[in-house]
């Protein structure tokens, strides 16, 4: 259209706003008519420029006012035309998203000619004197409008901040919901795993019913047994019949008892594990944690290990233990840990978790560098765990561990079936609450 305008005999332009004279720069001004909305508000707000109108009218362009004009149309020599959304403004050319139809050389233009004819009948000429009068009157109003514009910009910024805040809140809510769903899935997976483990324990318990005895939790005070839950002393588990003892139970599965050693005890009702202090006629002090003397060789380092059993008040376990790798120095900190679920068919490991560490920590990178080989590491961890869970070991001090009621969850004279199981060259025990009668 610029090329057509520069060599035109007649140019008709309709645009409610104008802030640049680019279209008219090389025109023959004797044949140019410009229709616009000559309203004070348009110039106070900066939508149109009185300076441009003064320049055009001095160059010979005929300027007309059309009330409520909104059309943007250009017509050259009754042949070429464009119709669209773009005003003759810098914003319209550079920043706004606009759309215009530009005619071809054979596009019918009769209706566009009629549009300008109708427009001219409703238009009135704008003189240079009017432009100068308006310019003098709107000076103070422009300053007021600038303040209003600044306030409006602040409102826009506030709206944008609130929108961004809501977006972040929605994303955070979505993240929390996703995390909650993921946690529920993990919890369900763990719960299903523990149900499977308890089912295995139940089958394990019922495998050799001849190798069991009935025992109950008693409070021992001054070498006597009673059921007073408020009395001082020690809770222990002892056979209900004086004709049976725990050594006989081990002998029934072909294992020589190691007195004053700790054996693994499985609570088949809830999946709890514990190391029980084994003596002939009673079990006292059930251990929930052990630090094996043998270090674990892993990732080019010999780690100290803590094995801890998970005991909960209601017995609703998702796993029944955890293994922590500690730096092999005095009071070395925990570098990594992994939860495990021990069952009669082996050990199921969770993901290896690294504890937070400082940049100068020499131990953590040994684990980090090999986490991608976790499938190989896990087999080493499983072998180590099974070995130290199932082999009896001497306890160092007599009074080490928890009371019997902590393991069984009751001080009342509830009885339990205790069963011995051959496990390789050694044995482990399982306990199951006895049904009354």
């Amino acid at each position: 259209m610029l090329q057509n305008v520069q060599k035109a005999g007649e140019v008709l332009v309709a645009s409610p706003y104008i802030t640049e004279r680019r279209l008219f720069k090389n025109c023959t001004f004797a044949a140019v008519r410009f229709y616009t909305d000559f309203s004070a508000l348009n110039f106070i707000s900066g939508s149109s420029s009185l300076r441009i109108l003064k320049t055009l009218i001095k160059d010979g362009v005929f300027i007309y006012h059309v009330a409520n004009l909104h059309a943007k149309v250009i017509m050259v020599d009754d042949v070429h035309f464009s119709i669209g959304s773009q005003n003759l403004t810098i914003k319209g050319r550079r920043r706004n998203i606009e759309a215009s139809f530009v005619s071809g050389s054979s596009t019918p233009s009769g209706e566009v000619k009629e549009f300008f004819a109708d427009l001219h009948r409703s238009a009135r000429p704008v003189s240079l004197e009017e432009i100068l009068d308006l310019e003098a009157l709107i000076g103070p109003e422009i300053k007021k409008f600038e303040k209003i514009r600044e306030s409006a910009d602040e409102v826009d910024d506030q709206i944008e901040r609130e929108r961004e805040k809501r977006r972040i809140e929605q994303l955070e809510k979505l993240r929390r919901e996703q995390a909650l769903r993921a946690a529920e899935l993990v919890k369900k997976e763990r719960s299903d795993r523990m149900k499977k483990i308890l089912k295995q324990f139940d089958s394990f318990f019922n495998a050799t019913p001849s190798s069991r005895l009935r025992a109950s939790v008693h409070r021992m005070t001054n070498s006597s047994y009673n059921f007073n839950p408020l009395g001082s002393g020690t809770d222990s588990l002892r056979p209900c019949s004086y004709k049976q003892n725990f050594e006989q139970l081990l002998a029934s599965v072909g294992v020589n008892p190691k007195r004053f050693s700790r054996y693994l005890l499985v609570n088949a009702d809830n999946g709890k594990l514990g190391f029980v202090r084994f003596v002939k006629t009673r079990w006292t002090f059930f251990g929930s944690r052990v630090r094996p003397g043998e270090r674990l060789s892993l990732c080019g380092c010999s780690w100290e290990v803590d094995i801890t059993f998970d005991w909960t008040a209601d017995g609703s376990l998702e796993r029944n233990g955890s293994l922590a790798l500690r730096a092999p120095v005095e009071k070395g900190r925990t570098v990594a840990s992994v939860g495990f679920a021990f069952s009669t068919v082996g050990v199921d490991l969770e993901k290896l978790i690294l504890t937070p560490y400082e940049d100068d920590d020499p131990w953590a990178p040994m684990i980090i560098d090999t986490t991608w080989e976790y499938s190989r590491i896990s087999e080493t961890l499983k072998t180590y765990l099974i070995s130290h869970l199932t082999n009896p070991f001497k306890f160092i001090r007599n009074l080490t561990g928890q009371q019997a009621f902590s393991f069984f969850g009751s001080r009342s004279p509830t009885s339990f079936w205790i069963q011995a199981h051959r496990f390789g060259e050694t044995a482990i025990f399982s306990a199951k609450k006895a049904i009354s009668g």
Side-chain angles (χ1 to χ4, degrees), residues 146-159:
E146 285 300 321
K147 292 182 179 180
I148 295 174
R149 189 194 300 275
E150 289 177 4
S151 298
D153 289 341
E154 290 177 3
V155 171
D156 285 339
D157 291 343
Q158 180 65 28
I159 292 295

Side-chain angles (χ1 to χ4, degrees), residues 381-394:
L381 293 174
K382 288 178 181 179
T383 301
Y384 183 91
L385 266 171
I386 292 174
S387 171
H388 287 82
L389 290 176
T390 58
N391 285 324
F393 59 92
K394 289 284 186 180

Side-chain angles (χ1 to χ4, degrees), residues 161-179 181:
R161 286 194 295 270
E162 292 297 327
R163 186 196 67 80
E164 182 65 13
K165 180 181 177 182
R166 285 194 295 271
R167 186 185 70 84
I168 293 173
E169 288 174 349
Q170 290 171 351
L171 288 175
E172 182 61 23
K173 180 181 178 182
L174 179 62
R175 186 196 66 78
R176 288 195 301 268
E177 290 174 349
Q178 290 174 338
R181 285 195 294 269

Side-chain angles (χ1 to χ4, degrees), residues 15-20 34-54 56 63-65 89 124 126-127 130-143 145-146 149:
S15 176
Y17 310 125
I18 183 169
T19 61
E20 64 175 11
F34 176 54
Y35 300 89
T36 190
D37 187 351
F38 189 73
S39 300
L41 181 60
N42 293 341
F43 302 100
I44 291 172
S45 65
S47 301
S48 273
S49 169
L50 288 174
R51 180 182 61 81
I52 297 298
L53 291 187
K54 285 191 296 182
L56 292 180
I63 300 177
Y64 297 86
H65 164 65
T89 60
R124 68 168 178 80
V126 176
S127 66
E130 284 184 85
I131 296 174
L132 295 174
D133 288 344
L134 182 61
E135 188 176 42
L137 291 170
I138 68 172
E141 306 304 321
I142 291 176
K143 294 180 180 180
F145 190 85
E146 285 300 321
R149 189 194 300 275

Side-chain angles (χ1 to χ4, degrees), residues 31 39 85-86 126 153 169 173 241 243 254 265 283 288 316 414:
S39 300
S85 63
Q86 181 180 340
V126 176
D153 289 341
E169 288 174 349
K173 180 181 178 182
S241 172
K243 295 181 179 180
L265 174 63
W283 286 351
S288 60
S316 58
T414 305

Side-chain angles (χ1 to χ4, degrees), residues 24-320:
F24 307 105
K25 197 169 184 180
N26 296 309
C27 286
T28 304
F29 291 99
V32 179
R33 285 185 283 169
F34 176 54
Y35 300 89
T36 190
D37 187 351
F38 189 73
S39 300
L41 181 60
N42 293 341
F43 302 100
I44 291 172
S45 65
S47 301
S48 273
S49 169
L50 288 174
R51 180 182 61 81
I52 297 298
L53 291 187
K54 285 191 296 182
T55 302
L56 292 180
I57 206 166
K58 288 177 181 178
D59 286 341
V61 174
F62 296 98
I63 300 177
Y64 297 86
H65 164 65
V66 179
N68 302 318
L69 177 66
H70 197 64
K72 295 87 176 172
V73 186
I74 302 171
M75 189 168 193
V76 179
D77 291 335
D78 293 342
V79 177
H80 306 289
F81 64 88
S82 72
I83 302 173
S85 63
Q86 181 180 340
N87 289 291
L88 301 186
T89 60
I90 297 174
K91 286 183 178 181
R93 183 165 56 86
R94 293 181 178 177
R95 194 175 73 181
N96 295 346
I97 299 172
E98 309 281 5
S100 293
F101 167 79
V102 179
S103 70
S105 58
S106 61
T107 307
S109 59
E111 291 187 11
V112 181
K113 289 170 59 178
E114 291 178 9
F115 165 79
F116 273 106
D118 291 340
L119 201 66
H120 191 75
R121 281 191 287 271
S122 62
R124 68 168 178 80
V126 176
S127 66
L128 179 60
E129 288 75 17
E130 284 184 85
I131 296 174
L132 295 174
D133 288 344
L134 182 61
E135 188 176 42
L137 291 170
I138 68 172
E141 306 304 321
I142 291 176
K143 294 180 180 180
K144 294 178 184 178
F145 190 85
E146 285 300 321
K147 292 182 179 180
I148 295 174
R149 189 194 300 275
E150 289 177 4
S151 298
D153 289 341
E154 290 177 3
V155 171
D156 285 339
D157 291 343
Q158 180 65 28
I159 292 295
E160 179 63 21
R161 286 194 295 270
E162 292 297 327
R163 186 196 67 80
E164 182 65 13
K165 180 181 177 182
R166 285 194 295 271
R167 186 185 70 84
I168 293 173
E169 288 174 349
Q170 290 171 351
L171 288 175
E172 182 61 23
K173 180 181 178 182
L174 179 62
R175 186 196 66 78
R176 288 195 301 268
E177 290 174 349
Q178 290 174 338
L180 183 61
R181 285 195 294 269
E184 289 296 327
L185 288 174
V186 171
K187 186 174 181 179
K188 183 180 183 303
E189 180 184 342
R190 291 177 175 176
S191 178
D192 291 344
R193 180 174 60 195
M194 284 308 301
K195 288 177 183 177
K196 182 179 179 181
I197 288 171
L198 289 177
K199 187 175 181 180
Q200 293 168 353
F201 283 152
D202 194 57
S203 301
F204 187 46
F205 180 82
N206 292 308
T208 53
S210 61
S211 303
R212 66 177 63 160
L213 60 77
R214 193 163 181 162
S216 59
V217 177
H218 288 261
R219 176 167 290 277
M220 184 173 64
T221 306
N222 298 326
S223 300
S224 64
Y225 296 90
N226 59 67
F227 299 124
N228 180 9
L230 300 178
S232 62
T234 302
D235 289 302
S236 64
L237 186 79
R238 67 167 182 163
C240 293
S241 172
Y242 69 91
K243 295 181 179 180
Q244 291 180 298
N245 61 54
F246 296 120
E247 285 187 353
Q248 294 170 347
L249 201 58
L250 275 181
S252 69
V253 293
V255 175
N256 293 324
K258 296 181 179 180
R259 296 185 73 243
F260 302 110
S261 289
R262 290 199 183 276
Y263 283 82
L264 183 68
L265 174 63
V266 175
N267 190 329
D269 290 321
N270 56 25
K272 279 186 183 180
L273 303 178
F275 288 118
V276 61
R277 182 182 124 170
F278 177 85
V279 292
K280 182 176 181 179
T281 57
R282 66 182 185 274
W283 286 351
T284 58
F285 300 109
F286 296 73
S288 60
R289 178 182 178 186
V290 64
R291 179 177 292 182
E294 179 188 350
R295 290 184 174 182
L296 171 61
S297 180
L298 193 68
C299 304
C301 184
S302 294
W303 303 92
E304 289 188 352
V305 175
D306 273 343
I307 299 174
T308 305
F309 299 139
D310 294 337
W311 292 8
T312 59
D314 59 0
S316 58
L317 300 175
E318 297 175 350
R319 61 187 187 182
N320 50 17

